[in-house]
Every structure is written in structure tokens, then in C-alpha cells.
């Protein structure tokens, strides 16, 4: 049906725009890995996250310190 086709077309356009935005977000924020030095849980952090709380053991720590330790 034509109606169904136009809906599919719209969905494809929206999905394309979302992917484009996602690509820009990833490019703008460099990712950094934070590793808990208590339980070694890995965390994906942005460069603006100087401190983080471990999702596994809830220990709050400094990203730079934990990065140096590993
Ligand atoms: Zn931990």
C-alpha cells in the first residue's frame, strides 16, 4: 500500500538522521576507560568524567588515578 510505503520511507529518513547524530556524538566526545582498582570493573567514561563511581562495588574514585595504576 502507498500509505505503508510512505511510512517506511519516513522511518528510514529518521533512522538515517539518528545515525548521523550518533556519529557526531561519538566523534565529539573521546571515550576513556576507567578501571576500578578495587574490583577491576571496566567503565567507559567521557573525558569530562574526572571522577566516577564503580557500578560493581560503588567505590568512588578518580579516573586519572585509576588509569595510572593500571
Ligand atoms: Zn569496583
Amino acid at each position: 500500500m502507498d500509505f505503508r510505503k510512505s511510512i517506511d520511507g519516513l522511518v528510514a529518513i529518521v533512522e538515517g538522521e539518528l545515525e548521523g547524530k550518533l556519529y557526531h556524538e561519538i566523534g565529539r566526545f573521546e571515550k576513556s576507560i576507567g578501571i576500578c582498582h578495587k574490583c577491576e570493573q571496566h567503565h567507559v567514561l567521557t573525558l569530562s568524567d574526572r571522577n566516577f563511581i564503580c557500578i560493581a562495588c560503588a567505590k568512588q574514585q578518580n579516573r586519572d588515578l585509576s588509569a595510572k595504576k593500571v
Side-chain angles (χ1 to χ4, degrees):
M1 291 222 184
D2 285 342
F3 177 72
R4 180 68 206 166
K5 267 187 188 171
S6 62
I7 292 289
D8 286 346
L10 269 178
V11 170
I13 290 167
V14 170
E15 280 179 351
E17 284 182 356
L18 282 178
E19 275 176 29
K21 275 182 188 163
L22 219 69
Y23 182 80
H24 278 293
E25 295 288 315
I26 292 168
R28 190 149 20 113
F29 298 105
E30 278 189 67
K31 290 290 188 276
S32 169
I33 302 295
I35 300 169
C36 177
H37 52 79
K38 190 177 172 192
C39 70
E40 299 190 340
Q41 171 72 43
H42 288 219
H43 304 79
V44 178
L45 310 164
T46 65
L47 288 181
S48 59
D49 290 329
R50 301 203 72 79
N51 296 293
F52 65 96
I53 296 172
C54 178
I55 59 170
C57 69
K59 179 175 172 56
Q60 186 174 354
Q61 55 208 292
N62 183 277
R63 187 201 67 203
D64 295 332
L65 285 179
S66 64
K68 273 179 195 163
K69 277 202 163 188
V70 175

